[in-house]
Every structure is written in structure tokens, then in C-alpha cells.
Amino acid sequence: MDIALRDHVFSSLLHWIDLFTLFLSISIEAYIFVHKWNPTYHLFPMSCMLLLSALQRLVFTPRQVYLVDFSCTKPPSRFRAPISGLLEHLSLIKVFDDASVAFMTKLITTAGMGDETYFPPSLHYIPPSHTHEDSIEETHIALFPALEDLLAKTNLSPRDIDVLVVNCSAFCPSPSLSSIVVHRFGMRDDVKTFSISGMGCSAGAIGIDVAQSLLRVHRKSYAVVLSTEIMSTGWYSGRDRRKLLLNCYFRMGGSAVLLTNRREAKWWSKYRLVRLLRTQRAFDDKSYLSAIREEDSEGITGFSIERNLLTVAAQTLRSNAVALGSSILPLWEKLRYGVMKLCNKNAAPDFRAAIKHYCLPSSGRAVMKEIGKGLGVGGREMEPALMTFHRFGNQSSASMWYQLAYMEAKGRVGRGERVWQLGMGTGPKCNSLVWECLRGVMAKEAEKGPWDDSIHRYPVGEGQEDL
């Protein structure tokens, strides 16, 4: 049974048990009163009600999933790809004609990226290298530092990890990415490992879903979710414009997230998982083909982005947002949205009634602003996504964690506030994670993140509008 459906069934069952317990207690109390029994008997229905309430919550309440901490890789400065150097680099690669170079130049200079994004070592060569060894080396650079930092921050040993989930869309080696991590860190022989591929930028949320599903079953466990995209595999060396976009927007990065279901962890964890929702439109032909990996006319493999992608993305996001809103928005906002919907078919719910912070897909400045407009959020809510794209580019499924790190570095996430992480990827898919902050982030913690040497310079440029 789907975890979300199971939780809904449990919630409904708890509701009916509460009603039955209340009815039974009132009936017994009325019977005692009518028959004028000894006053001490009045304690019996109250005791039954308390006992049944405690038992049903002990048996039926699903285990909470906590986010203990997370880390993001900040690659060495020698891997930087400043815009001027990148444009010169593209012009020197003979596989691109003048039209392709001009097209990529326009995309790169108008997308909203800065001069401190990172390319893997293989893409600094002329021509770029695409070997299996290059991809393995990039995997080590992107994932190992993030996991090492996470283990150091949480004082855990690799052998304490019970579940390991690694997601990377394009690179799927054998042995798997999860086996590479287990081998490098010497994890236990019974650690449950999973490698997720082909899920695109939404894979970060899918990895969390896999981990939390296992945590619902296995008691007192720790789960690690690693997210990255290997550019050495995804680089396109052809002339099909539909496939050149990934060369322009995607950059190297990686993240590591530690989850647990231990009850005592709520006292030191950063966040609690409130809601996880996944939707997709792979059943529709036009949606399915809007973003797809395929060969061009010359037999060169690349990732095609079709013109209808924005329309498809809007439809996918709308269905996800409506379903999410029905479960997290307060009643008064649902009523307001219902009335507005009757008057205006394009009305959207105001998620700021339930959520204060947002991690949006890092798909370029123009696209991010359209997403923010569709969700009805302003410049301050879009700032983490815009600034993360400026500083680090698009790291696919890991981008949402760089954005959360930005908020923490700015000291914006307070106890009790909610964060919405939105991931959209191929399929197409739209996945949402809603977290509740359990404790504020200490200054020393924020100083050690990926923004440690640059947060004081942000926000910059258009990211300061409407803040």
C-alpha cells in the first residue's frame, strides 16, 4: 500500500476510534447515572477512554521521520567555470558550429548564473572527455565530501547507517553508485542500498520517499540519501539546439541527507517530515516526450528539451500543488480558494498561509520566476532559488539542499516554520517535500556550509527585486 494512502487510512481509523471511545464512555456514564451506582464507578468510563486513546495511538500512529542534518559539496576553486572562460572554451571546441556557440552564449549570459559555478575536471579539457573513468572520478568529487561532512557533523560512523539511497539520473555504472559508496566508507554488510536513475531533477524527493518508506518499517534506523548529477556523462557534443540547454545550465554538485525514525532524535534533529507528495504525467504522450534522452541525427546522445516543456511543467505543478494544498492549507484558506475558483478559473491557493520558505527548481531565472508567479510567491520566497542558481548553477536533484543551506546561512528558518522543497524532473514528475523546523540553526553550523565564503555577498542582481 502507498505510504501516503496508508497514513490517510490510519488517520481516518484513529478518528473513528476516538468517536467510538467517546460514545462508549458517554453511554457507560449515562448508565451509571441512571442506576445511581456508587460514585467511584464514574472513574471507570474515564479510565477506559484514556486507556483506549493511549493504545490506539501507540498501535496505529505511524513513526515520525526526522531530518537530523544535511551537507552539500562545495567543489575546489580550481574547478570554477567563469562565464568568460566558459564562452571561450565553447568556441574552441571544434564540434560546435558558430550557430551553436551563439545559441549557448545567449543562454548562459541571460540565465542568471555567476562566475563561481563548477565544472568537473573532464569538462575543462579541450575537447571535453566523456570516459567512464571521468564519470567515476566526478562521482567521488561530488558525493564523498558531502557524506564525510555529514558523518562528522552528526558524530556517526558509516557502520551506523542502516539505509543508503543514491540518486543520479544519467550515470548508472556497475557496480552501482550505492556499492561505490559502501566500498569507500566500509559500511555494514546488511546495509540496505538503492540506486535511483533516470528520475531527473525530481530524484532528490524520490530518494527521500524511498528512505522514509523503509524507516516506516524498520525501527530505530538511520538512512542516508545522496543526490548528484554526473556532467561527464550528460555533456552533449552535437549541434541539436534542443540538446544544448543542459550544457548551459547544469553544474557539478552533490548533497547528503541523514534521516531517522528514532523518537529521541526529535530533540536534536533540524526538521520533521510533514508531507511528501508525488505526481506525474507520464501517461500523456506529449508530456512524456517533452524532455527525453535520445540520439540526434548524427548518432550523438543528448537530452532533448521540447518547446512545450513549460506548458507541461505548469500542468504537472498545478496538479501537485492542488493536492498538496488540500492536505496542508488551513480551512479558511481552502474556503477562500474555493470561492475564488468559482469566480476565476485561474485562481491559485495562497501557500504562504501554511508555508514560509520555498526551495524551487533551479531551471534558469526566467523559468524560476514563472514558477514563483504560478505559486503566488514573491521575491523573498524566490530568493534562495535565484541565488543558488547564480552561485552554483543547476545541480539537478541536489539543488534543493543548496537552497535550504542558503536559508540557514541567512538565519531565516525558525522553529515551527515550514519549508516546501519542490522538485520537477523527467517523466514528467513533480514531487513535494514539506518539512517543519524543530530547532533554529546555530551560527557555527551555518558558517560551515557551502555558502561559508559567499553568503555575505548575497542577494545580488535581480534577486534583490521585491525583497
Side-chain angles (χ1 to χ4, degrees):
M1 182 186 294
D2 178 75
I3 293 296
L5 177 59
R6 189 186 69 183
D7 289 350
H8 177 72
V9 171
F10 281 169
S11 178
S12 300
L13 186 58
L14 290 177
H15 176 70
W16 285 108
I17 291 177
D18 284 336
L19 290 178
F20 174 76
T21 303
L22 179 61
F23 174 77
L24 182 62
S25 299
I26 293 175
S27 300
I28 295 175
E29 181 68 25
Y31 186 87
I32 294 174
F33 180 79
V34 170
H35 289 79
K36 299 180 181 181
W37 287 6
N38 190 304
T40 57
Y41 286 106
H42 289 284
L43 297 174
F44 179 71
M46 183 182 297
S47 301
C48 289
M49 185 171 63
L50 293 175
L51 180 60
L52 287 174
S53 179
L55 285 175
Q56 55 99 352
R57 278 173 169 74
L58 179 65
V59 174
F60 293 106
T61 301
R63 297 185 181 93
Q64 295 287 345
V65 173
Y66 301 103
L67 193 163
V68 180
D69 212 333
F70 68 97
S71 294
C72 299
T73 296
K74 186 176 72 174
S77 58
R78 65 180 181 274
F79 297 148
R80 284 193 313 114
I83 291 177
S84 58
L86 176 58
L87 298 181
E88 180 183 12
H89 191 85
L90 294 174
S91 64
L92 295 175
I93 300 176
K94 301 303 182 182
V95 297
F96 298 129
D97 56 18
D98 292 341
S100 298
V101 172
F103 177 70
M104 288 189 287
T105 298
K106 181 179 179 180
L107 289 178
I108 292 170
T109 54
T110 60
M113 278 188 293
D115 292 317
E116 296 182 288
T117 61
Y118 303 95
F119 265 178
S122 60
L123 299 188
H124 284 274
Y125 294 116
I126 299 178
S129 180
H130 302 277
T131 68
H132 181 80
E133 184 179 351
D134 293 323
S135 296
I136 292 293
E137 180 186 7
E138 184 181 347
T139 300
H140 294 180
I141 296 172
L143 293 182
F144 290 175
L147 183 52
E148 289 170 352
D149 182 60
L150 179 65
L151 294 174
K153 289 196 298 187
T154 55
N155 294 317
L156 289 179
S157 163
R159 298 187 67 81
D160 293 326
I161 306 305
D162 303 287
V163 177
L164 174 66
V165 181
V166 185
N167 65 73
C168 176
S169 188
F171 185 49
C172 188
S174 183
S176 65
L177 291 175
S178 58
S179 294
I180 291 174
V181 174
V182 170
H183 177 261
R184 165 62 178 78
F185 288 88
M187 294 182 176
R188 301 197 316 262
D189 59 354
D190 62 342
V191 61
K192 299 168 183 62
T193 60
F194 302 84
S195 294
I196 302 174
S197 64
M199 296 294 187
C201 299
S202 66
I206 296 174
I208 297 294
D209 190 16
V210 172
Q212 68 105 20
S213 297
L214 290 165
L215 290 176
R216 300 286 191 189
V217 177
H218 301 280
R219 299 172 58 86
K220 296 185 177 181
S221 298
Y222 286 109
V224 167
V225 179
L226 303 179
S227 301
T228 189
E229 191 55 76
I230 302 304
M231 295 185 61
S232 302
T233 301
W235 182 262
Y236 174 64
S237 297
R239 302 179 182 182
D240 186 343
R241 287 194 176 187
R242 300 173 304 159
K243 297 177 176 61
L244 292 172
L245 274 73
L246 265 67
N247 292 357
C248 303
Y249 291 165
F250 278 71
R251 296 294 185 267
M252 181 170 63
S255 64
V257 181
L258 178 64
L259 305 175
T260 187
N261 56 8
R262 293 171 177 257
R263 292 184 178 179
E264 64 272 19
K266 67 180 179 181
W267 301 111
W268 64 77
S269 296
K270 285 186 174 182
Y271 303 93
R272 176 180 69 87
L273 183 60
V274 175
R275 189 75 168 93
L276 191 154
L277 180 67
R278 296 171 54 182
T279 56
Q280 62 173 304
R281 293 186 59 83
F283 54 84
D284 179 71
D285 289 345
K286 291 183 179 180
S287 300
Y288 177 78
L289 298 172
S290 62
I292 189 168
R293 187 173 176 84
E294 60 184 1
E295 293 180 342
D296 62 14
S297 58
E298 299 178 1
I300 303 173
T301 302
F303 196 82
S304 297
I305 304 294
E306 301 297 339
R307 291 181 178 273
N308 68 332
L309 179 62
L310 288 181
T311 302
V312 171
Q315 294 172 342
T316 311
L317 174 58
R318 187 179 301 113
S319 61
N320 186 276
V322 170
L324 181 66
S326 65
S327 63
I328 66 170
L329 289 176
L331 179 60
W332 59 265
E333 174 56 28
K334 294 178 183 178
L335 294 174
R336 188 201 69 84
Y337 170 65
V339 173
M340 293 294 294
K341 191 68 174 177
L342 293 175
C343 303
N344 180 11
K345 292 184 178 180
N346 295 321
D350 186 1
F351 284 96
R352 289 176 292 186
I355 297 172
K356 188 171 183 179
H357 308 284
Y358 299 78
C359 301
L360 306 177
S362 296
S363 306
R365 182 167 53 199
V367 175
M368 284 187 284
K369 288 192 173 183
E370 285 299 314
I371 293 175
K373 182 179 178 181
L375 294 176
V377 298
R380 187 173 179 82
E381 288 82 15
M382 291 188 291
E383 181 189 331
L386 292 169
M387 296 305 102
T388 296
F389 187 75
H390 181 275
R391 174 63 179 85
F392 294 100
N394 185 345
Q395 309 97 335
S396 189
S397 56
S399 290
M400 62 174 64
W401 300 106
Y402 285 79
Q403 294 179 38
L404 186 55
Y406 178 88
M407 299 177 203
E408 291 188 351
K410 285 290 186 180
R412 293 181 180 173
V413 186
R415 183 176 181 180
E417 296 176 349
R418 289 184 173 184
V419 180
W420 181 6
Q421 290 184 313
L422 179 65
M424 301 183 69
T426 54
K429 304 175 187 66
C430 184
N431 303 321
S432 292
L433 298 170
V434 178
W435 304 93
E436 180 185 347
C437 182
L438 298 179
R439 64 175 178 85
V441 179
M442 294 182 290
K444 291 183 178 180
E445 292 179 287
E447 291 173 358
K448 298 179 181 179
W451 296 89
D452 59 348
D453 62 348
S454 58
I455 191 63
H456 62 282
R457 303 198 305 267
Y458 287 89
V460 298
E462 294 188 25
Q464 300 182 83
E465 294 180 357
D466 303 322
L467 298 182

